[in-house]
Amino acid sequence: MRHVISVLLDNESGALSRVVGLFSQRNYNIETLTVAPTDDVTLSRITIVTKGDDEQVEQITKQLHKLINVLKVCDLADAPFVEREILLAKCRAATPEIRAEICSLTDIFRGQIVDVTSELYTIQMVGSSDKIDAFISTAGKTIELIEVVRSGVCGIARGERALRA
Amino acid sequence: MEKLSGAQMVVRALEDEGVEMVFGYPGGAVIDIYDALYSAKKLRHVLVRHEQAAVHAADGYARCTGKVGVALATSGPGATNCITGIATAYMDSVPMVIITGQVGKPLIGSDAFQEVDTVGITRPIVKHSFLCSSAAELPLIIKKAFYLASTGRPGPVLVDIPKDVQNPRNLFDYEYPKEISMRSYNPTRLGHKGQIKRAVKLLAEARKPVLYAGGGIILANASEQVRALAAKFRMPVVSSLMGLGAVSGHDEKFLGMLGMHGTYEANMAMHHADLVLAVGTRFSDRSTNNVSKFCPEAKIIHIDVDPASISKTVRVDIPIVGSIDMVIPQMMGDIEELGLKPAADGLADWWSQISTWRQKNCLAYDRSSSLIKPQAVVEAVDRLTEDPVVVSDVGQHQMFVAQHFKFDKPRKWLNSGGLGTMGYGLPAAAGAQAALPGAQVVCFTSDGSVQMNIQELATCMEYRLPLKIIILNNNALGMVKQWQKLFYEGRLSQTCSPEYISSLPDFVKLAEAYGHVGMRITRPDELEDGLRKAFAMKDRLVLVEVLTDPEELVYPMTINGGAMCDMRLNDTETTL
């Protein structure tokens, strides 16, 4: 089962390494991880995508909560939530046909072309991980992808639910 | 406001925290702290002979007093030598603050002399750690360190202080915080009312209950409350290795230790129970055997201050997160309020079943042997001492003590349960004796374990710590040898070779070389008198080497992969 865990923690040096260390120490898996300060600059927010059964994820959230720097932990997948990931993909755009193909695919997936050289286009795309996966597998068939970078998932609960200090 | 340097602040903050004693070893990155210690009025420093021993000694100090133990070491090798001690304390939830020096901030990350990433290396084995970046924040960090170490589920907290932060030329305002609160740390003290109601109802209905006592009871100083609850329902009590002493070993309701080397009656009672009340324990693999076969008929109530310990290995029916010293009185209150009565027949059927299990006499051993049996030594020490603090190292001797010594009170049994650290015994005993100068401290150890921190005999001499060290010398690394005999077709690899045996030191001379008294007991008929003589030397450290039967194995022993009721009872008999 895929879980999206949100963690609110002190924005101080060493705090992130405690979280990452916990995952390797206890043999939990990390599929993606994003981290950045929140509107309150003393706090950071981490979103971790992990796989595990309910018991494993219960342990993960408990162990995360036990870290002294961690204020709040929640499994977003418990209720409706929004998740987004950013993709930046550099691809070969050598011929007019390929350039047209890139523009068309990018349009279909509601992406943008954010950098252009005579030979290369860079595509930016925002969406769920599924959508990004779909783009990469589709694009891979007709376009030569030179470099792909994904941000990892960040997520937020729908509706009233909010993770605040 | 008073102005102090970082180094002076460390000493003053420890004094203001009420610390009486710190165990440490000087070095380049803490030389300023040692300079400040030189003129300390209240704080006493105990110089060990190896940093690992400083941490074990602080650990022994903490376990026997309930106070936070403090260790001090320099950067680099000083810090890495602390690792085993810190991990030992972490696994057994011992409240401790470890202060390490670090290279100056400008040098951090440059592979400077005696630099290691101490915070990084210790991260998985501390409750929390701090890298102090300026002297001005030292008082708050030290306050937090003690608060974290001693509250909730206790544990070791590390404070790493770069050398420039200690600089005696830079003075800062010093005021030690009186109170502390941390927005991200609020351990639950009171248990959930609804869960407690459900729990006490189950307790009153149970026909075959067992109270499974863990070390958390001792950490929470809740021994009296737990004893009262057990008495109220006339509940059989079993104990984890760490819980020994929480309930008296002399109590008729006490069935002994459970688990891998637990008693037959304790393991049978657990397996057949209809209700297990687990208090302050973490269902370690050494206790449960195969978790999928664990207590098949029992509802399980689990009280623990650490939510992450609940349903970690064994799914429980009623989890209660809270401090045991709060939760048990809450339970007693509900029992009163709901008018719950103990079973009218005093659980007669259950007790009669238990007494048949007891008749197995699973801890019996050959008392007529011409060789000294290790069990006999433990029993003799129990007979000849009054209310001692018993420290043990790790291995067969540790299990013999756990099985045969009847611990009456909490904080009288110090051993490395979770990590199983050979070499723990002697320094921890030294720490306990330093903490309790008038107490009788007995350290059980072995030819293997004692050599892992033997240098502490010098510390014991310097501070005149009159330990009684009992070496159960079986000419072997016995526990591994036992496994090799049972599971490796007797291929005794590196555990008792003639070369190992002939290379053992003369322990009597060794004790004497350090200025202590050494004795050797070789025959059963010398045992009682020899020990008596040793204990009579009240102000001397006496090292007693007892030559024990090298072939004696620790039984019962649960059968790997089985349920708790699956045990080897001796060399030939199993329960299967």
Side-chain angles (χ1 to χ4, degrees):
Chain A
M1 240 314 249
R2 178 174 182 268
H3 292 263
V4 181
I5 296 172
S6 263
V7 183
L8 205 57
L9 76 168
D10 290 326
N11 179 13
E12 60 177 53
S13 70
L16 175 64
S17 77
R18 290 178 210 278
V19 171
V20 175
L22 176 71
F23 274 74
S24 64
Q25 172 193 346
R26 297 204 177 258
N27 202 18
Y28 304 147
N29 128 304
I30 297 181
E31 302 231 313
T32 79
L33 179 144
T34 65
V35 57
T38 66
D39 53 331
D40 174 351
V41 292
T42 67
L43 294 175
S44 287
R45 169 99 171 224
I46 296 179
T47 309
I48 298 167
V49 177
T50 184
K51 279 210 172 112
D53 59 30
D54 288 350
E55 282 174 25
Q56 281 166 325
V57 172
E58 180 187 330
Q59 256 304 303
I60 292 174
T61 53
K62 281 175 170 176
Q63 292 291 352
L64 280 169
H65 205 80
K66 208 167 136 178
L67 296 175
I68 305 299
N69 289 131
V70 168
L71 275 80
K72 293 269 168 75
V73 183
C74 89
D75 182 0
L76 289 174
D78 279 347
F81 70 103
V82 180
E83 64 170 290
R84 290 293 180 266
E85 198 178 348
I86 294 176
L87 166 85
L88 294 172
K90 191 173 283 182
C91 45
R92 178 109 28 228
T95 67
E97 294 75 32
I98 292 290
R99 285 198 283 273
E101 172 66 14
I102 292 170
C103 290
S104 141
L105 256 181
T106 305
D107 268 356
I108 292 167
F109 280 88
R110 297 179 202 283
Q112 291 161 291
I113 292 164
V114 293
D115 186 51
V116 174
T117 72
S118 57
E119 293 285 316
L120 298 167
Y121 278 13
T122 297
I123 304 162
Q124 167 190 302
M125 190 166 295
V126 178
S128 68
S129 300
D130 286 349
K131 173 177 156 180
I132 307 278
D133 288 346
F135 173 79
I136 292 171
S137 85
T138 310
K141 288 176 188 135
T142 50
I143 302 170
E144 186 189 350
L145 294 171
I146 309 283
E147 185 181 355
V148 167
V149 53
R150 302 173 66 149
S151 64
V153 169
C154 67
I156 195 164
R158 289 188 186 274
E160 295 290 309
R161 216 154 60 111
L163 195 66
R164 293 203 63 92
Chain B
M1 200 181 283
E2 195 177 7
K3 300 262 187 201
L4 295 178
S5 72
Q8 289 170 321
M9 281 188 193
V10 172
V11 173
R12 270 295 297 281
L14 292 178
E15 289 182 340
D16 288 345
E17 186 60 43
V19 175
E20 294 154 348
M21 197 175 286
V22 40
F23 300 89
Y25 202 98
V30 285
I31 195 165
D32 291 318
I33 296 175
Y34 274 85
D35 188 63
L37 267 170
Y38 195 68
S39 44
K41 298 277 186 301
K42 291 186 273 182
L43 189 61
R44 189 172 157 220
H45 180 270
V46 175
L47 177 71
V48 294
R49 298 300 187 270
H50 187 302
E51 288 90 348
Q52 182 189 348
V55 185
H56 289 326
D59 176 311
Y61 174 97
R63 292 195 209 215
C64 72
T65 62
K67 298 179 202 164
V68 178
V70 183
L72 175 59
T74 193
S75 63
T80 53
N81 279 344
C82 290
I83 302 294
T84 304
I86 299 172
T88 303
Y90 182 70
M91 290 291 271
D92 291 343
S93 307
V94 177
M96 186 187 291
V97 170
I98 305 97
I99 296 170
T100 48
Q102 181 54 278
V103 300
K105 285 201 305 289
L107 288 174
I108 289 180
S110 71
D111 299 322
F113 177 65
Q114 294 197 326
E115 182 192 359
V116 292
D117 175 8
T118 306
V119 166
I121 290 176
T122 56
R123 191 190 39 67
I125 51 166
V126 294
K127 182 170 175 182
H128 196 57
S129 50
F130 298 94
L131 175 59
C132 190
S133 60
S134 102
E137 56 184 39
L138 258 171
L140 184 62
I141 283 179
I142 290 178
K143 183 78 191 172
K144 281 184 180 175
F146 277 86
Y147 174 60
L148 290 170
S150 59
T151 55
R153 179 176 180 176
V157 177
L158 179 119
V159 181
D160 199 25
I161 310 175
K163 180 153 175 157
D164 54 324
V165 172
Q166 305 166 25
N167 190 336
R169 282 182 297 280
N170 300 337
L171 302 183
F172 296 84
D173 287 342
Y174 173 81
E175 188 179 14
Y176 196 62
K178 287 192 178 59
E179 305 249 316
I180 184 91
S181 77
M182 296 173 71
R183 63 178 176 180
S184 60
Y185 177 75
N186 288 300
T188 309
R189 301 261 302 137
L190 278 175
H192 186 278
K193 286 185 182 141
Q195 297 289 59
I196 287 175
K197 277 220 161 57
R198 285 176 58 206
V200 292
K201 283 179 188 160
L202 275 186
L203 212 54
E205 287 163 13
R207 308 309 304 161
K208 298 192 277 181
V210 174
L211 194 154
Y212 166 18
I217 299 170
I218 295 166
L219 293 167
N221 296 316
S223 184
E224 287 307 319
Q225 287 109 316
V226 171
R227 291 176 189 209
L229 181 67
K232 174 95 189 167
F233 288 97
R234 209 174 163 234
M235 252 189 292
V237 179
V238 304
S239 172
S240 72
L241 177 67
M242 300 312 296
L244 293 172
V247 170
S248 170
H250 292 105
D251 190 318
E252 48 132 22
K253 298 187 296 303
F254 186 67
L255 310 187
M257 182 169 73
L258 87 170
M260 181 171 276
H261 293 299
T263 64
Y264 179 74
E265 51 269 36
N267 286 341
M268 293 300 278
M270 283 294 281
H271 187 76
H272 293 93
D274 66 357
L275 179 86
V276 169
L277 174 62
V279 186
T281 180
R282 60 188 178 86
F283 295 86
S284 91
D285 56 297
R286 284 297 188 267
S287 292
T288 60
N289 209 1
N290 186 343
V291 288
S292 68
K293 297 177 184 170
F294 180 73
C295 297
E297 295 154 35
K299 289 247 190 273
I300 301 175
I301 303 167
H302 187 187
I303 307 170
D304 204 284
V305 75
D306 176 11
S309 280
I310 289 177
S311 293
K312 184 174 70 177
T313 59
V314 170
R315 292 303 291 180
V316 304
D317 299 283
I318 303 185
I320 302 174
V321 177
S323 187
I324 298 161
D325 60 327
M326 307 294 272
V327 174
I328 302 287
Q330 283 180 284
M331 291 174 79
M332 290 299 248
D334 274 10
I335 290 163
E336 203 64 26
E337 200 174 295
L338 298 169
L340 298 174
K341 296 272 182 291
D345 64 352
L347 304 170
D349 291 349
W350 185 222
W351 276 110
S352 98
Q353 172 69 72
I354 288 168
S355 72
T356 63
W357 289 329
R358 273 179 162 161
Q359 280 159 20
K360 195 76 145 180
N361 205 7
C362 68
L363 297 180
Y365 60 92
D366 178 8
R367 287 170 195 272
S368 58
S369 168
S370 61
L371 296 170
I372 301 175
K373 294 288 182 179
Q375 299 94 324
V377 185
V378 176
E379 287 176 355
V381 171
D382 197 355
R383 251 194 330 274
L384 296 172
T385 55
E386 187 129 355
D387 205 18
V389 174
V390 178
V391 187
S392 117
D393 251 307
V394 165
Q396 285 182 314
H397 68 275
Q398 176 190 27
M399 292 299 111
F400 287 128
V401 180
Q403 291 177 333
H404 292 268
F405 204 97
K406 295 204 177 348
F407 294 97
D408 238 343
K409 298 179 189 164
R411 301 201 181 280
K412 298 290 182 184
W413 168 230
L414 282 47
N415 79 126
S416 169
L419 197 68
T421 308
M422 289 173 69
Y424 170 83
L426 176 52
Q433 187 75 78
L436 308 169
Q440 173 81 269
V441 178
V442 182
C443 174
F444 283 98
T445 179
S446 64
D447 48 306
S449 284
V450 77
Q451 294 194 77
M452 284 209 191
N453 265 318
I454 193 79
Q455 77 286 344
E456 293 313 304
L457 286 174
T459 308
C460 294
M461 178 44 74
E462 180 175 345
Y463 297 93
R464 298 293 188 272
L465 302 174
L467 303 179
K468 301 297 172 278
I469 300 170
I470 316 287
I471 300 181
L472 299 181
N473 182 355
N474 59 356
N475 280 335
L477 307 178
M479 191 54 98
V480 176
K481 179 183 164 191
Q482 171 163 348
W483 281 56
Q484 289 168 337
K485 280 178 91 168
L486 294 174
F487 313 125
Y488 290 83
E489 297 158 344
R491 292 155 57 87
L492 305 179
S493 175
Q494 301 294 322
T495 50
C496 54
S497 67
E499 296 77 15
Y500 169 80
I501 295 168
S502 64
S503 307
L504 283 170
D506 180 329
F507 287 110
V508 173
K509 281 192 191 152
L510 188 60
E512 288 166 358
Y514 279 100
H516 301 301
V517 180
M519 287 171 53
R520 183 175 294 118
I521 299 176
T522 56
R523 294 201 323 265
D525 60 346
E526 301 169 342
L527 180 62
E528 188 105 4
D529 273 356
L531 288 173
R532 220 184 279 279
K533 255 182 231 151
F535 288 120
M537 287 182 257
K538 297 225 176 292
D539 52 354
R540 296 296 300 275
L541 183 150
V542 185
L543 183 154
V544 186
E545 180 193 16
V546 187
L547 299 184
T548 60
D549 182 353
E551 300 310 320
E552 191 67 16
L553 303 189
V554 185
Y555 289 115
M557 182 177 194
T558 52
I559 293 167
N560 195 22
M564 292 192 75
C565 60
D566 300 331
M567 285 169 268
R568 289 166 201 273
L569 297 170
N570 51 50
D571 288 340
T572 53
E573 194 187 348
T574 76
T575 56
L576 293 178

